[in-house]
Amino acid sequence: MGQYAESQRKNVRILLVGDPGVGKTSLILSLVSEEYPEEVPARAEEITIPANVTPEQVPTNIVDYSSMEQSDETLAAEINKAHVVCIVYAVNDDDTLDRITTHWLPLVRATCNSADGEPDVMRKPIVLVGNKIDTIDYSTIDSVLAIMEDYPEIESCVECSAKTLHNISEMFYYAQKAVLHPTSPLYIMEDQDLTPACKKSLVRIFKICDIDSDNLLNDYELNLFQRRCFNTPLQPQILDEVKAVIQKNVPDGIYNDAVTLKGFLFLHCLFIQRGRNETTWAVLRRFGYNDQLEMCQEYLRPPLKIPPGSSTELSHRGQQFLIALFERYDRDGDGALSPEEHKMLFSTCPAAPWSYSTDIRKSCPTNDAGWVTLHGWLCRWTLLTLLDVVKTLEYLGYLGFSVHENDSQLAAIHVTRERRIDLAKRQSSRSVYKCHVIGPKGSGKTGMCRGFLAEDMAKLVGKEFKTNVVHCINSVQVYGQEKHLILRDIDVRHVLDPLQPQEVNCDVACLVYDASNPRSFEYVARIYIKYYAESKIPVMIVGTKCDLDERRQDYLMQPADFCEKYKLLPPHMFSLKTNKKELYTKLATMAAFPRFQAAWILFYRHRLVQLWESAHLRQFGLMTEDPKIWIKAGLGVAAATVLGFIVLRAFGVGGSNSR
């Protein structure tokens, strides 16, 4: 039923207290031996009842107290150790009943408060037990109910008899129930209403179960809710009876034969009033709540093992869930989430995981109004999953992934293989890559990052970007496969400031200089030599503002010579005005093939020359006449030609794209 460790205790410890002679010890011994003891000791030893013989299937410890044998300090320690305290009184002795309010309840409160120092915390649950019911012909329950109104920690009351065994098992069942399914977090006795925390939790659950977002739970949604919480379908007759009860008590609890939020809340209020707390608790725990009606950390953050060098991406199930969520809240069907739709989507969460007004516009694709599209929505989640997978898990939990998918949020995450394996295989298995964009101020790197998101980059020409974009994410096609590329704009405060390891390490580095500024390239060259020359990180050097006059750089070598010396691809010349986006595809391709550097290209160039020379030598009769070798040579030339053509075309070597 989806219980979580934090919401369900592994054992229950029951402490019995009361005035001497009320029958505390007799109750315990009668329960264990199933007969009234002829001789009763001053205090019973602690008893453990195995899980398989208790209604709740939880091991239970029963502890007796004796003022004759134990000190006040021992009593205080036992009260603090206990999960529930049973205050026993004798129904035939009014003094013991009065002592409940004059001594025992204040004592338990004071002891618990002195232990935690917070008088407003949830108090220790109490069960009032009236023993010796066999000695009178009337009930004391009315008097006890009046006490319960003043002490909300009292979960229940029961009259029983140790001598006749009447209600003995029920007494300990109520004590167990007070721990495992407490009333006080759910219900305010004096108001006859749900607590604010309980209402808030049930409202979230209602929204998650309202699949079509019409503020109603229809029969299909109610059945789905029933199966997910109790692993059983809701029979049509029972469903009709439930609706009839709601309609009778809450006129607007049913609308168009579906349950409204008011009806849903009333139903749980009714469960609690009828002593069926376990029903509401089963629902709450299935949706991740603990005994304090807070989201369990185990529910929000299921343990995820990420080996060193691995990264995290959305799985297919994670993407499908997010697509369905987007479509569910895109009320007008315009393919984008308005600020109001975005707010409603995250209404089941403490807050949105990002700022809609600033973060969305700067980090992922949007429409002309600045509203996040479905493509941008998936991109933004992809970014969050790579950078902060724990936060992704938390928010998927808040949004109800585990309920809708009937699995933990781990099913929404894919952990990639280690980077060292990618390097060994010379091909990345990932679909999300980090590219760090580094360059001096004024080099145009921020505009280049923003251009990745724009449909028409030319519209960005002349704009001033007062703040760094930090992260931009979009998708590109790498040999027919969709990949996500994340551009991180590294903020360079001063040319002499060193880069931190987290600013250097990435899947591909893009070093940007202003081709129209003769002093711009030096910073890029120094960064490469200091941080990347000895690393295995692919690097591309980009000259921006190539629509302006290209200036000779005031450095030991010109950019093209520098790239040739360090076996890098020739500088890629970039301008927002040209509105060409092949740069981003190149960066993603370099990340996908992390060891595919200019050295490879030189190798293929050299190999092509060798093969063509061999073919010419054969043409002049200077090589063997063996026809098999002829065939092998021809196939080799053809294969090398095709591969070399693909490689050179992809990276623009020797063509106009590289300059």
Side-chain angles (χ1 to χ4, degrees):
M1 201 158 58
Q3 303 285 2
Y4 292 89
E6 292 186 41
S7 62
Q8 183 75 57
R9 291 188 184 275
K10 296 181 179 179
N11 70 304
V12 173
R13 188 176 181 85
I14 303 172
L15 172 65
L16 272 67
V17 300
D19 292 342
V22 295
K24 303 184 298 296
T25 306
S26 298
L27 288 169
I28 297 172
L29 297 178
S30 293
L31 174 73
V32 175
S33 63
E34 296 185 350
E35 61 180 7
Y36 183 69
E38 294 297 331
E39 296 184 5
V40 181
R43 184 175 69 89
E45 295 297 323
E46 182 175 326
I47 293 171
T48 300
I49 301 176
N52 59 353
V53 297
T54 65
E56 296 290 342
Q57 298 294 298
V58 177
T60 302
N61 293 47
I62 303 175
V63 181
D64 194 8
Y65 163 71
S66 171
S67 59
M68 297 172 58
E69 294 189 359
Q70 294 172 296
S71 65
D72 291 344
E73 290 76 14
T74 302
L75 174 60
E78 288 295 349
I79 290 174
N80 285 318
K81 285 166 58 179
H83 300 141
V84 57
V85 177
C86 292
I87 301 178
V88 183
Y89 67 97
V91 295
N92 60 357
D93 185 347
D94 290 343
D95 290 341
T96 63
L97 180 60
D98 293 339
R99 287 264 293 172
I100 293 174
T101 55
T102 61
H103 177 71
W104 289 110
L105 282 169
L107 173 66
V108 173
R109 274 191 177 184
T111 302
C112 295
N113 291 342
S114 64
D116 53 43
E118 298 181 24
D120 293 329
V121 297
M122 292 177 60
R123 299 185 176 100
K124 188 85 65 178
I126 304 289
V127 175
L128 300 183
V129 181
N131 190 23
K132 305 184 182 182
I133 190 64
D134 59 291
T135 63
I136 60 173
D137 57 2
Y138 58 88
S139 173
T140 60
I141 290 298
D142 288 341
S143 299
V144 173
L145 290 175
I147 298 173
M148 292 178 69
E149 291 181 1
D150 296 327
Y151 291 86
E153 62 264 45
I154 300 175
E155 289 286 330
S156 58
C157 57
V158 60
E159 292 182 330
C160 58
S161 170
K163 189 170 186 177
T164 65
L165 307 185
H166 177 68
N167 276 351
I168 297 295
S169 297
E170 286 78 1
M171 165 199 158
F172 289 100
Y173 168 70
Y174 287 136
Q176 272 192 334
K177 187 177 176 182
V179 177
L180 303 177
H181 314 299
T183 303
S184 56
L186 307 180
Y187 193 74
I188 304 172
M189 195 69 66
E190 53 266 33
D191 295 342
Q192 296 288 292
D193 197 8
L194 300 173
T195 63
C198 184
K199 284 183 181 179
K200 182 180 178 181
S201 303
L202 291 173
V203 167
R204 169 182 169 264
I205 292 169
F206 181 91
K207 289 180 178 180
I208 289 174
C209 295
D210 180 17
I211 298 173
D212 55 10
S213 297
D214 62 351
N215 296 317
L216 298 168
L217 294 183
N218 57 35
D219 288 359
Y220 172 78
E221 291 165 340
L222 286 169
N223 264 294
L224 205 59
F225 166 78
Q226 174 77 10
R227 285 199 299 271
R228 285 166 177 166
C229 291
F230 305 102
N231 296 321
T232 179
L234 194 60
Q235 299 300 323
Q237 181 181 351
I238 295 176
L239 182 56
D240 290 340
E241 291 174 358
V242 168
K243 290 180 182 178
V245 170
I246 296 174
Q247 184 76 65
K248 181 180 178 181
N249 291 274
V250 186
D252 53 353
I254 301 294
Y255 180 78
N256 285 345
D257 199 36
V259 178
T260 66
L261 176 59
K262 281 188 177 180
F264 185 72
L265 294 176
F266 165 77
L267 197 58
H268 284 280
C269 197
L270 189 63
F271 287 147
I272 297 165
Q273 289 172 346
R274 294 183 176 180
R276 292 176 54 190
N277 301 9
E278 62 273 15
T279 302
T280 298
W281 275 116
V283 171
L284 291 166
R285 286 166 179 155
R286 178 65 183 90
F287 282 79
Y289 291 95
N290 61 17
D291 289 348
Q292 289 72 45
L293 294 184
E294 298 170 346
M295 298 292 288
C296 301
Q297 289 304 303
E298 181 182 348
Y299 176 89
L300 291 177
R301 300 183 177 189
L304 177 64
K305 185 178 180 181
I306 306 174
S310 295
S311 62
T312 47
E313 303 175 359
L314 288 171
S315 68
H316 178 70
R317 285 179 64 183
Q319 292 177 359
Q320 292 302 113
F321 173 78
L322 292 170
I323 290 171
L325 197 65
F326 181 97
E327 293 174 344
R328 173 177 163 186
Y329 283 92
D330 180 17
R331 303 289 181 85
D332 52 13
D334 64 349
L337 291 180
S338 69
E340 184 60 30
E341 290 170 340
H342 185 269
K343 181 180 178 180
M344 287 298 298
L345 189 152
F346 285 110
S347 63
T348 60
C349 309
W354 46 69
S355 166
Y356 190 87
S357 59
T358 56
D359 185 284
I360 289 294
R361 292 172 184 263
K362 292 181 179 180
S363 64
C364 63
T366 61
N367 64 10
D368 292 338
W371 297 356
V372 64
T373 61
L374 176 58
H375 175 61
W377 169 255
L378 290 176
C379 283
R380 191 60 189 80
W381 277 100
T382 299
L383 174 63
L384 182 65
T385 303
L386 184 74
L387 300 182
D388 191 352
V389 68
V390 172
K391 194 171 184 179
T392 293
L393 292 173
E394 285 182 359
Y395 273 87
L396 288 175
Y398 288 130
L399 293 167
F401 177 90
S402 65
V403 178
H404 287 293
E405 297 293 321
N406 203 26
D407 206 343
S408 81
Q409 297 93 288
L410 295 180
I413 305 300
H414 168 65
V415 179
T416 66
R417 72 186 183 192
E418 298 176 48
R419 182 175 172 81
R420 61 180 178 83
I421 300 176
D422 286 344
L423 289 172
K425 293 181 176 293
R426 297 180 175 179
Q427 182 174 350
S428 174
S429 62
R430 306 179 185 189
S431 61
V432 185
Y433 306 120
K434 284 191 298 183
C435 172
H436 287 184
V437 182
I438 306 171
K441 286 187 176 181
S443 61
K445 58 188 177 69
T446 302
M448 191 194 88
C449 291
R450 295 283 181 92
F452 189 32
L453 307 179
E455 288 291 331
D456 184 0
M457 293 191 296
K459 292 181 180 180
L460 300 177
V461 175
K463 284 191 175 183
E464 289 189 16
F465 303 105
K466 296 181 180 179
T467 58
N468 279 5
V469 70
V470 185
H471 292 102
C472 287
I473 181 170
N474 206 339
S475 63
V476 296
Q477 293 289 320
V478 176
Y479 295 126
Q481 294 185 337
E482 185 180 60
K483 305 290 185 181
H484 283 91
L485 182 65
I486 298 171
L487 302 181
R488 179 185 174 186
D489 188 352
I490 302 298
D491 185 19
V492 178
R493 294 160 296 281
H494 191 276
V495 293
L496 298 179
D497 288 346
L499 296 181
Q500 300 302 312
Q502 65 270 20
E503 295 176 320
V504 175
N505 296 326
C506 56
D507 296 305
V508 58
C510 181
L511 306 185
V512 180
Y513 73 98
D514 178 356
S516 66
N517 182 351
R519 296 186 176 182
S520 185
F521 181 72
E522 181 177 1
Y523 176 79
V524 165
R526 292 183 183 277
I527 288 291
Y528 177 81
I529 293 171
K530 185 174 181 179
Y531 297 104
Y532 293 103
E534 302 299 326
S535 77
K536 295 180 180 179
I537 299 173
V539 175
M540 174 174 283
I541 291 179
V542 175
T544 60
K545 307 179 186 179
C546 67
D547 54 296
L548 304 176
D549 291 337
E550 184 175 355
R551 300 289 298 276
R552 182 175 179 81
Q553 296 296 311
D554 295 340
Y555 185 62
L556 300 174
M557 287 177 284
Q558 293 307 296
D561 299 330
F562 183 88
C563 291
E564 185 173 356
K565 176 182 178 180
Y566 288 98
K567 295 182 174 60
L568 298 174
L569 293 168
H572 181 100
M573 307 312 290
F574 175 85
S575 171
L576 291 173
K577 288 185 177 180
T578 61
N579 205 34
K580 293 181 179 179
K581 295 196 173 186
E582 68 270 13
L583 166 64
Y584 309 112
T585 302
K586 288 184 180 182
L587 290 169
T589 304
M590 292 176 72
F593 300 92
R595 295 186 64 182
F596 193 78
Q597 294 282 1
W600 283 43
I601 298 172
L602 293 174
F603 166 78
Y604 284 115
R605 274 180 167 171
H606 179 65
R607 184 60 178 153
L608 277 170
V609 171
Q610 283 186 325
L611 290 170
W612 280 112
E613 286 180 348
S614 296
H616 283 295
L617 289 172
R618 179 65 190 84
Q619 181 181 357
F620 290 105
L622 299 177
M623 294 186 69
T624 178
E625 295 289 341
D626 188 339
K628 291 182 179 179
I629 295 179
W630 264 91
I631 295 172
K632 290 180 180 179
L635 291 175
V637 170
T641 301
V642 172
L643 183 56
F645 175 75
I646 293 173
V647 171
L648 298 178
R649 184 174 181 181
F651 289 97
V653 176
S656 60
N657 288 343
S658 64
R659 293 297 297 170

